[in-house]
Amino acid sequence: MPVAVVSFAQLKACDPESFRTSAKAYRDLADALDERADEIAPQLTDFDDAWDGQGSPAADKAIRDQAVVITDTVLMLQRADQILSDFAGELDKAKAMLTDAMEAATRISATVAENGSVTPKSAKDQTAAEEIVEQFRAAIQYADTADTTASTDLAALTPPVPGQQAPVDLSTVPAIGTDPERVKEWWNSLTPEEQQYLIAQHPDRIGWLDGVPATARDQANRLVLDRELDTVNERMSTLEDQGQTDTDEYRELQGKKRGLEAIEDRLELSGGDGRDEDGLQSNEQRAYLLGVSTEGDGQAIVAIGNPDTADNIVTFVPGTSAELAGVRGDIGRVDRMVYDANNLDPTQRTAGIMWLGYDAPDQILEWNGMDDLTNLGRYGDASDPGYAQRAGTALDRFSDGLRVTHEGERSHNSIVGHSYGSTVIGYTAKDHGLDVDEAIFVGSPGVGTDTAAELGLNPENVYSSHASNDPIRYLTETEVAFGNNPSDEDFGGRRFASDPGTPLFETHTGQKTYDPMGPFGPSITLPTIDFEWKGGAHSDYWTDDNQSRDNIARIVTGTGGDITGDHP
């Protein structure tokens, strides 16, 4: 259990990393137990076939009760992981508050004693010294409150008992799509035992419910993730046995498996500010799985950090061709934004969410030649606003759900849309309203309006950026675009700078020899130059040292007035 932080010296000396290490140990134990449970489950069928004697029904019930206990134990271990991970984040914030105050003391050359008292070098700084002491007290109080919460939550964890479940009438469970306020009211009406029953036995009914706390959705969706992986693996195995590996179905399953495993990898990540081979930066934040499905192209919602306890929440909506198979890169972008924000202002806790809760267009354009220009937007590609319009209800409800489940003071919520993801945000804001503090558009083909004011947000809180080499800039000048370019001055929002990105064309020079007079005449060697099209700048906004990352971090942490670039 976390030790009580009751003094300046204790807070100064405590190490949040030790609690992350403990959280990771519980997480690993939960995963190991879950894997063992998966191995045991098939044996129940073998047991039923092997024994039909007088005592078999009782034995069968005892084994099945034990299987339930194993699942409940996994949930208990996961909850311990969640509590300790969140506590470590709270200590990070408290220590950052303490560090800020210590730096203020240094600026006035004051002496800070081990008990937190502050003695200024000059009498004229006495008032400043007293303010620093108050900052120390605020940091200590914050840590004390976090410690009490964590201690209480850990003490409430009790080992499950066989046969003591609290079943819930499934007809009372709200349908997916129910108003988050109603969902929260229903969830809070349940006992902890009833909540755990639903998570363990019916995770598919809980995982996508906006209005259910992130911790409960995470537990439910981890169970769903295991089942989805099992289903995909079983189907792939069947196709392999039938020699049908060179089929569209098998290739689609390979992609979905790749996406599910990418999510699993991030859920298991221990944290740290290092990078994996994809450049992922985690800033020591635990991941929460808020939704996962393999239907269609697949969908997923992954949070980096607990949005219910964060000061700042940034939701990222990816664009064209986003699907479960490629989710690793989109999660990586959120990891980078969380990393940047928490490093820019560690006195605030920032959580990020990768929201792929919609069916994105598979390709930019379905091109059938110049004679077919009148049909642009009717093919189901990225020129079709239908994808954005259909996504609006779900995105609006999810955003409302973030407000409903958040604990404590109102969080500062921003939303970032990349490419067609910005179009989704624009149509949602225009058609439904979005409860966000800022909207950020990156590499946008248009957001469905001609002005920022039409989004229902203060234009001062609408931001956009286009890299100079991003080819989408040219698309916004065509009929394919969804309204005015949000980076244009007359759109009325604010513009921030991004690096130019990968050049549009890469040139290759060489030489080529010609024989204009045939084999009997002299040869002529001339220089050649070839142009290779590159569209990489459209995805470069999150590359290392790109100033767009710094600007997004400023907006996410509430200091959008400090953005750089050509803006009003």
Side-chain angles (χ1 to χ4, degrees), residues 479-493:
E479 293 182 7
V480 181
F482 304 101
N484 194 8
N485 184 340
S487 291
D488 281 353
E489 186 173 356
D490 61 357
F491 185 78

Side-chain angles (χ1 to χ4, degrees), residues 365-366 372-387:
L365 289 176
E366 176 79 25
D372 221 17
L373 282 174
T374 57
N375 286 318
L376 287 175
R378 302 178 188 176
Y379 289 117
D381 55 31
S383 65
D384 182 356
Y387 291 93

Side-chain angles (χ1 to χ4, degrees), residues 1-2 26 75-87 90 144-159 192 195-196 213 215 219 288 306 308-309 349 407:
M1 291 179 62
Y26 279 109
L75 295 179
M76 183 184 71
L77 295 170
Q78 288 177 346
R79 185 70 189 113
D81 163 30
Q82 292 174 337
I83 294 168
L84 290 168
S85 294
D86 207 52
F87 179 63
E90 295 282 59
D144 270 330
T145 300
D147 177 77
T148 299
T149 300
S151 298
T152 301
D153 290 345
L154 285 173
L157 298 179
T158 56
Q195 292 173 353
Q196 177 146 323
T215 52
Q219 289 181 304
Y288 292 75
N306 185 350
D308 289 347
T309 58
R349 296 184 62 194
E407 304 170 11

Side-chain angles (χ1 to χ4, degrees), residues 7 9 28 36 100 105 158 209 221 277 382 393 429 453 510 523 537 544:
S7 71
D28 291 343
R36 184 59 181 145
D100 271 10
T158 56
L209 272 181
N221 283 308
E277 64 275 12
T393 299
S523 297
D544 289 348

Side-chain angles (χ1 to χ4, degrees), residues 430-448:
K430 176 172 67 80
D431 297 340
H432 302 273
L434 263 179
D435 192 355
V436 295
D437 297 291
E438 286 98 8
I440 306 168
F441 306 131
V442 182
S444 175
V447 297

Side-chain angles (χ1 to χ4, degrees), residues 43 55 81 159 226 274 282 312 324 346 368 454 507:
Q43 297 177 20
D81 163 30
D226 287 345
S282 64
N312 307 307
L324 186 59
N368 288 314
E454 295 174 71
T507 58

Side-chain angles (χ1 to χ4, degrees), residues 181-457:
E181 288 280 4
R182 289 182 54 197
V183 172
K184 180 184 180 182
E185 182 180 352
W186 163 79
W187 183 257
N188 289 343
S189 74
L190 302 175
T191 66
E193 292 76 18
E194 289 172 329
Q195 292 173 353
Q196 177 146 323
Y197 169 80
L198 287 170
I199 292 170
Q201 302 304 317
H202 302 282
D204 55 313
R205 299 289 299 271
I206 302 302
W208 283 89
L209 272 181
D210 298 313
V212 170
T215 52
R217 291 179 68 168
D218 175 54
Q219 289 181 304
N221 283 308
R222 286 174 187 248
L223 294 174
V224 173
L225 176 65
D226 287 345
R227 296 177 185 180
E228 294 279 25
L229 268 170
D230 288 344
T231 299
V232 168
N233 283 328
E234 288 170 8
R235 181 56 182 163
M236 289 180 68
S237 180
T238 297
L239 292 175
E240 288 164 4
D241 292 342
Q242 296 173 350
Q244 298 185 39
T245 56
D246 189 21
T247 62
D248 290 341
E249 181 186 4
Y250 189 81
R251 284 186 285 271
E252 181 179 328
L253 288 168
Q254 283 182 309
K256 289 179 177 177
K257 179 179 180 179
R258 186 167 61 250
L260 294 172
E261 289 179 339
I263 293 172
E264 189 175 54
D265 288 345
R266 184 57 185 88
L267 295 179
E268 294 175 354
L269 194 67
S270 60
D273 59 0
R275 305 176 188 176
D276 65 10
E277 64 275 12
D278 298 311
L280 183 148
Q281 297 167 302
S282 64
N283 198 36
E284 302 179 336
Q285 298 293 303
R286 183 188 189 277
Y288 292 75
L289 184 56
L290 305 184
V292 63
S293 171
T294 56
E295 289 188 19
D297 289 338
Q299 296 184 1
I301 306 175
V302 180
I304 308 302
N306 185 350
D308 289 347
T309 58
D311 300 301
N312 307 307
I313 305 171
V314 54
T315 300
F316 172 67
V317 182
T320 302
S321 73
E323 59 181 2
L324 186 59
V327 76
R328 186 183 297 274
D330 290 322
I331 295 173
R333 289 174 178 175
V334 175
D335 258 306
R336 293 182 179 98
M337 287 189 282
V338 172
Y339 177 91
D340 294 339
N342 280 323
N343 278 279
L344 177 65
D345 187 356
T347 66
Q348 300 184 63
R349 296 184 62 194
T350 296
I353 301 168
M354 193 288 299
W355 189 84
L356 181 55
Y358 81 110
D359 178 29
D362 292 331
Q363 54 189 336
I364 298 176
L365 289 176
E366 176 79 25
W367 180 249
N368 288 314
M370 293 298 294
D371 294 336
D372 221 17
L373 282 174
T374 57
N375 286 318
L376 287 175
R378 302 178 188 176
Y379 289 117
D381 55 31
S383 65
D384 182 356
Y387 291 93
Q389 293 164 337
R390 289 187 292 272
T393 299
L395 180 57
D396 175 47
R397 185 178 62 248
F398 179 78
S399 298
D400 289 344
L402 292 176
R403 296 295 190 192
V404 167
T405 59
H406 192 266
E407 304 170 11
E409 295 181 7
R410 178 182 171 90
S411 57
H412 174 256
N413 292 6
S414 53
I415 190 164
V416 178
H418 175 236
S419 190
Y420 194 90
S422 69
T423 309
V424 172
I425 293 171
Y427 273 95
T428 303
K430 176 172 67 80
D431 297 340
H432 302 273
L434 263 179
D435 192 355
V436 295
D437 297 291
E438 286 98 8
I440 306 168
F441 306 131
V442 182
S444 175
V447 297
T449 69
D450 289 327
T451 65
E454 295 174 71
L455 297 171
L457 299 169

